[in-house]
Amino acid sequence: MPSAVPTEVPRPLVDTFGRVHRDLRISVTDRCNFRCTYCMPEEGMTWLPRGEVLTFEELERVAGLLVRHHGIRSIRLTGGEPTVRAHLPVLVAKLAALPVDLSLTTNGATLRSTAAGLAEAGLGRVNVSLDSLRPERFAALTRRDQLDDVLAGIDAAIEAGLTPVKVNVVVVRGVNDDELVELARFGRELGVTVRFIEWMPLDAGDAWTNELVVTQAEIVERIGAEFPLRPVARGSEPAEQFRYLDGGGEVGVIPSVTQPFCAQCDRIRLTADGQLRSCLFSIEDHDLRTILRAGGTDGDLTDAIEACVGAKWAGHAINQVHFVKPRRSMSQIGG
Ligand code: SAM
């Protein structure tokens, strides 16, 4: 039955807690060229069959509806590793035609050769994940010996104007928490903002424990002991920002475990197989792909999108007894 929802009238995505959703994460693939130990097993991931992954035309349709009709203002492409999706610049060009802030989260391994093309296609900026500056540790952590490629990729992104480049570091106790100061120094010297992320229970294995989370308080204390810091007011970004008192720029922390920003969350996520999610930790998907492939109208899509946002909960429940780990891991949802 055709939907009664008219799509010509703007309908901001407001949930039952009054949060207005402006930010869309699109996972363009669940595949990845790295196997970060805190994210994926070395072998044995089951990839989506290609036919289940949304096409560029399907992504363009959903993104266009969300931007024009539902007030989405920023789109971040992610994965898996988004740069392993063939012809990514073609999708970037389609999305860049929309009035949005368009960005990409990547492990940076291919940026040396892809940054210029992505920038030309209309990509605005990139976040690059980099969890260690020590070659052997980097290779052990990612199970790929490609630190040099990532460092060259960061330079290439800056050169291509995909700025401000941000560097994301997932901190895991006993793995890379002794590098906090080194990584902060790296950001200061390169003039990029490094953001330290508390490890979340979204690994494909079951290695996550509370004890392995290095908290924001600890991160700020350790960096601040070397480079004194002061907090900067938090906006709608998940990162808490801190400014170096000596004028060396800023550093961020994403304290998703100890100080979640759920009350300000303005995000929705589309998985590579077309499932809309209102939270990383949702245990429910809202299936847009079936609607797209069954010839659904924009009104049908709007119904599903609004149902998803309408069901958004107040916040995730990590650390609470009723916490249920999502069926899919970070790389499968789209981090
Ligand atoms: N492959 C791209 C990359 O490396 O940035 C994009 C996808 S990746 C899943 C997105 C981000 O999620 C990366 O910064 C990664 O380090 C982070 N991540 C993965 N698993 C995580 C977890 N369990 N907790 C916190 N962050 C995680």
Side-chain angles (χ1 to χ4, degrees):
M1 203 176 82
S3 166
V5 180
T7 51
E8 59 281 5
V9 183
R11 294 173 73 101
L13 296 172
V14 187
D15 69 13
T16 55
F17 301 92
R19 292 170 297 198
V20 184
H21 293 73
R22 302 276 188 212
D23 184 48
L24 169 67
R25 303 278 148 133
I26 299 179
S27 173
V28 297
T29 178
D30 61 328
R31 292 168 198 246
C32 191
N33 44 359
F34 281 14
R35 292 288 180 277
C36 299
T37 49
Y38 58 78
C39 186
M40 283 189 192
E42 185 159 18
E43 285 172 16
M45 288 293 286
T46 311
W47 310 118
L48 290 168
R50 284 184 204 283
E52 290 187 12
V53 174
L54 292 195
T55 63
F56 287 175
E57 289 67 30
E58 289 168 335
L59 288 171
E60 186 183 18
R61 179 169 171 206
V62 173
L65 181 68
L66 282 165
V67 171
R68 295 202 180 91
H69 184 51
H70 291 294
I72 289 292
R73 292 183 185 156
S74 58
I75 297 180
R76 173 171 293 279
L77 302 178
T78 182
E81 171 49 41
T83 60
V84 305
R85 175 90 189 240
H87 312 297
L88 185 65
V90 174
L91 175 66
V92 166
K94 288 179 188 292
L95 300 181
L98 298 169
V100 284
D101 169 28
L102 184 62
S103 60
L104 173 90
T105 298
T106 172
N107 60 32
T110 69
L111 278 181
R112 184 173 11 205
S113 57
T114 58
L118 289 167
E120 246 167 65
L123 185 68
R125 57 202 173 82
V126 291
N127 287 359
V128 182
S129 305
L130 171 63
D131 303 314
S132 175
L133 291 166
R134 302 182 193 174
E136 276 178 26
R137 178 179 288 173
F138 181 94
L141 232 165
T142 60
R143 301 189 177 105
R144 300 289 184 269
D145 187 7
Q146 287 191 266
L147 176 60
D148 287 347
D149 292 330
V150 175
L151 295 176
I154 293 173
D155 290 341
I158 295 170
E159 173 84 25
L162 294 171
T163 52
V165 172
K166 293 179 189 159
V167 169
N168 289 340
V169 180
V170 176
V171 189
V172 182
R173 192 176 305 285
V175 174
N176 62 348
D177 57 324
D178 55 348
E179 272 190 77
L180 294 174
V181 170
E182 269 167 74
L183 284 155
R185 181 177 290 113
F186 167 80
R188 285 164 56 92
E189 287 173 358
L190 202 60
V192 301
T193 298
V194 176
R195 305 186 317 164
F196 295 94
I197 304 173
E198 290 180 352
W199 189 31
M200 293 181 272
L202 283 169
D203 50 321
D206 272 318
W208 185 92
T209 66
N210 234 317
E211 291 68 41
L212 294 178
V213 176
V214 182
T215 66
Q216 158 161 306
E218 209 175 328
I219 292 169
V220 172
E221 189 190 318
R222 287 214 236 156
I223 296 173
E226 183 73 19
F227 305 115
L229 293 167
R230 76 172 164 80
V232 181
R234 194 179 199 173
S236 69
E237 286 276 303
E240 298 243 18
Q241 289 295 120
F242 298 84
R243 194 161 292 152
Y244 294 113
L245 293 186
D246 66 1
E250 290 189 4
V251 65
V253 184
I254 303 184
S256 314
V257 177
T258 63
Q259 294 175 55
F261 83 118
C262 305
Q264 286 80 42
C265 179
D266 67 346
R267 252 171 223 186
I268 50 174
R269 296 171 185 272
L270 186 62
T271 64
D273 57 347
Q275 308 298 305
L276 195 68
R277 297 170 65 86
S278 56
C279 174
L280 262 179
F281 293 93
S282 298
I283 41 178
E284 193 186 20
D285 287 341
H286 290 254
D287 184 4
L288 301 190
R289 189 186 64 199
T290 299
I291 299 172
L292 287 164
R293 296 190 179 173
T297 64
D298 284 356
D300 296 330
L301 288 170
T302 279
D303 286 342
I305 292 163
E306 291 183 342
C308 174
V309 173
K312 183 160 176 160
W313 46 31
H316 68 61
I318 304 176
N319 292 329
Q320 295 174 40
V321 277
H322 58 281
F323 176 69
V324 179
K325 194 176 167 187
R327 184 177 49 83
R328 300 207 254 187
S329 64
M330 186 72 135
S331 67
Q332 294 168 321
I333 297 168

